[in-house]
Amino acid sequence: CLAGYGFAPERICLGGGATNSATWNQIQADMYGVPVEVLAEGESTVLGAAILGAVGSGVFADIDQGVDAMVRTCKVLEPDASTSARYADLYDAYVETYRGLAPSAFAKLGSLQVS
């Protein structure tokens, strides 16, 4: 589904509290159909702020150098091809359903809204 928007990543990095779930990480790999790298530092916002602070104070010459020095992955999950294909089929069904409902159902629901 990402390629349909002109975005075809070779890998995706995951961070944050949700990365504590191995199941959720695998679901994302399967949904995206590309390997996902789980960041060793779960607090991505804090890590980003530290990198920017280090660049701003001259510790690193630029953001890329800071990322290279500070961002680490703790595991890589490969997508399961059959599960990825199933998710793609389900996404196609969702899109088709949405397009079928959009012209009539959403207009009707919009007219029922109270200001």
Side-chain angles (χ1 to χ4, degrees):
C1 68
L2 296 175
Y5 296 101
F7 182 65
E10 294 178 12
R11 65 183 171 88
I12 292 178
C13 296
L14 305 176
T19 60
N20 292 323
S21 169
T23 301
W24 179 242
N25 297 336
Q26 186 62 54
I27 287 170
Q28 290 193 75
D30 295 342
M31 282 184 358
Y32 301 132
V34 297
V36 295
E37 297 180 5
V38 179
L39 298 181
E41 174 55 56
E43 296 299 328
S44 304
T45 303
V46 173
L47 180 58
I51 292 168
L52 293 175
V55 171
S57 64
V59 173
F60 301 119
D62 55 33
I63 293 172
D64 288 336
Q65 187 182 38
V67 168
D68 289 343
M70 297 179 72
V71 176
R72 297 286 175 254
T73 58
C74 61
K75 63 182 124 182
V76 177
L77 297 159
E78 297 292 331
D80 176 273
S82 63
T83 306
S84 290
R86 180 74 170 149
Y87 279 130
D89 290 342
L90 289 166
Y91 180 74
D92 290 344
Y94 161 78
V95 169
E96 192 172 320
T97 301
Y98 179 87
R99 288 183 180 148
L101 290 172
S104 59
F106 296 133
K108 181 152 183 136
L109 288 171
S111 72
L112 298 174
Q113 288 182 335
V114 177
S115 302

